[in-house]
């Protein structure tokens, strides 16, 4: 599955935090853009599991969607 | 109980993320310093619960201790 989330990130530390928690969840294919505030993920994990993991970083998740 | 954690935070977004997850945990008395990288907490929650919550932000926790 491919998911995209708009997450408020304001520095590389924010970006790295998202990267780290997704790694821990077992998500290996991802692109995180500080510029576009986008977290793009390819994984077999359910959408809600990925969303919850991102939310637990304390970052604001503005929106999220399943792409395919 | 009073706990202190040294957490790598590099911008106000990092600091606010820590603040947000601690609020969700029910920790109301806290001081978070970006300058000293210190998260100081007064709570009745167990140490491990607070530590786990901070770790789930994806921030690096350099050290932590119970003060009293």
């Amino acid at each position: 599955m491919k998911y995209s989330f708009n997450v408020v990130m304001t520095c590389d530390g924010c970006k790295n935090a998202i990267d780290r928690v997704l790694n821990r969840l077992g998500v290996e294919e991802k692109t995180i853009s500080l510029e576009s505030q986008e977290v793009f993920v390819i994984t077999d994990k359910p959408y809600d599991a990925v969303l919850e993991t991102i939310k637990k970083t304390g970052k604001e998740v503005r929106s999220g969607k399943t792409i395919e």
Side-chain angles (χ1 to χ4, degrees), chain A residues 4 12 32 34:
Chain A
S4 174
D12 276 330
I32 306 173
L34 187 55

Side-chain angles (χ1 to χ4, degrees), chain A residues 1-3 9 11 13 16-17 19 23-24 29 41 49-50 54:
Chain A
M1 305 289 283
K2 296 181 186 175
Y3 311 130
M9 297 175 283
C11 75
N16 292 340
D19 193 54
N23 282 340
R24 279 185 206 145
E29 289 187 82
V41 164
V50 179
I54 295 173

Side-chain angles (χ1 to χ4, degrees), chain A residues 23-62:
Chain A
N23 282 340
R24 279 185 206 145
L25 182 65
V27 171
E28 284 170 7
E29 289 187 82
K30 55 192 162 344
T31 306
I32 306 173
S33 166
L34 187 55
E35 194 179 2
S36 67
Q37 308 276 286
E38 193 196 18
V39 179
F40 177 76
V41 164
I42 303 178
T43 182
D44 57 359
K45 308 277 179 194
Y47 176 85
D48 285 349
V50 179
L51 176 61
E52 274 312 298
T53 296
I54 295 173
K55 280 188 174 173
K56 282 186 179 167
T57 63
K59 298 294 173 195
E60 186 193 343
V61 181
R62 285 206 181 110

